[in-house]
């Protein structure tokens, strides 16, 4: 709190950032934009599109008013800030589902195994609103997304694709501001799988699951600052290796870890070499791999 010459009090809020240059200001703006958008799942794999299709239960032609994404007991996120308009529990139709209101349109997530919000809650983008499942009229675990605008359903895939591209663009801009160059390849699951294949890494889906667990879905400090996707350490002093790019750490995993593999069950191999101290490490990897 400060006193002015006229006796007026002026306060400065603690959470207002003080920028020292234009670069910091621009970066903060991009981060703010990024915090207001999120994809509905950590991994996106379309299994059933919007429109007419052969209904998997009745086998007759019917209109599918949304899209189905492959997942099994995965975190489901609010894509934008909004209000929980409706929460429903049941074993018919969409089973357990919620409806989020995002201004001029609303989004419904169906077949959830668990709902983590209540009707009337205000949520931010990235809030975990439920866990995907197989409730209601469903032939297998998945997430059904329906989007309505003006009371009419629209193709959610168009919106999700746009959101995915928008997020990638924001991340590229942030990388450019931080490092001065655009990364050759964005770090995402699609590019990770491509690099694993490029270096002929054995069991790429298992290794990709290891990456996601080790990095907390590409968010850990070691991943962001060291380009180290596997938490690889120097035997001499236990410090983390630093790589020029995340692709280099993929090659390092093959050179430093997989060279020891001589065949057999890969999970047994990871246990044998003591890859992780966590006793539940393998079960966590198996659960992540199922969603890939």
């Amino acid at each position: 709190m400060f006193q002015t010459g006229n006796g007026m009090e002026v306060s400065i809020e603690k959470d207002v950032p003080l920028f020292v240059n234009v670069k910091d200001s621009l970066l903060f703006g991009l981060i703010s934009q990024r915090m207001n958008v999120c994809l509905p799942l950590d991994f996106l794999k379309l299994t059933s599109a919007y429109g007419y299709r052969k209904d998997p239960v009745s086998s007759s032609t019917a209109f599918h008013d949304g899209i189905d994404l492959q997942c099994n007991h995965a975190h489901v996120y609010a894509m934008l800030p909004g209000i929980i308009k409706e929460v429903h529990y049941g074993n018919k139709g969409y089973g357990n589902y919620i409806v989020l209101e995002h201004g001029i349109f609303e989004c419904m997530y169906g077949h959830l195994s668990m709902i983590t919000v209540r009707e009337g809650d205000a949520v931010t983008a990235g809030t975990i609103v439920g866990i995907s499942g197989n409730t209601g009229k469903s032939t297998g675990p998945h997430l059904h997304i329906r989007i309505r605008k003006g009371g009419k359903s629209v193709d959610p895939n168009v919106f999700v694709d746009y959101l995915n591209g928008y997020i990638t663009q924001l991340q590229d801009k942030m990388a450019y501001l931080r490092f001065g160059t655009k990364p050759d390849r964005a770090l995402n699951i699609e590019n990770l799988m491509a690099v694993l294949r490029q270096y002929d890494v054995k069991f790429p889906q298992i290794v990709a699951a290891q990456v996601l667990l080790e990095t907390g879905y590409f968010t850990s400090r070691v991943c962001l600052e060291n380009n180290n996707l596997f938490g690889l350490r120097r035997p001499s002093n236990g410090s983390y290796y630093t790589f020029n790019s995340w692709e280099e750490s993929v090659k390092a995993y093959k050179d430093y870890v997989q060279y020891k593999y001589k065949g057999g069950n890969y999970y047994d191999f990871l246990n044998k070499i003591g890859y992780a101290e966590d006793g539940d490490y393998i079960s966590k990897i198996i659960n992540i791999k199922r969603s890939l």
Side-chain angles (χ1 to χ4, degrees), residues 19-53:
F19 299 115
V20 294
N21 55 44
V22 174
K23 174 184 172 183
D24 288 343
S25 180
L26 290 172
L27 185 58
F28 179 79
L30 290 170
I31 292 172
S32 298
Q33 293 177 60
R34 179 64 183 89
M35 291 175 67
N36 280 316
V37 289
C38 184
L39 294 174
L41 296 167
D42 290 310
F43 313 104
L44 301 179
K45 184 175 182 180
L46 184 70
T47 56
S48 187
Y50 175 84
Y52 285 97
R53 65 169 187 176

Side-chain angles (χ1 to χ4, degrees), residues 87 90 111 120 156 173 180 246 261:
V87 172
H111 308 298
K173 288 180 179 179
W246 64 265
Y261 175 75

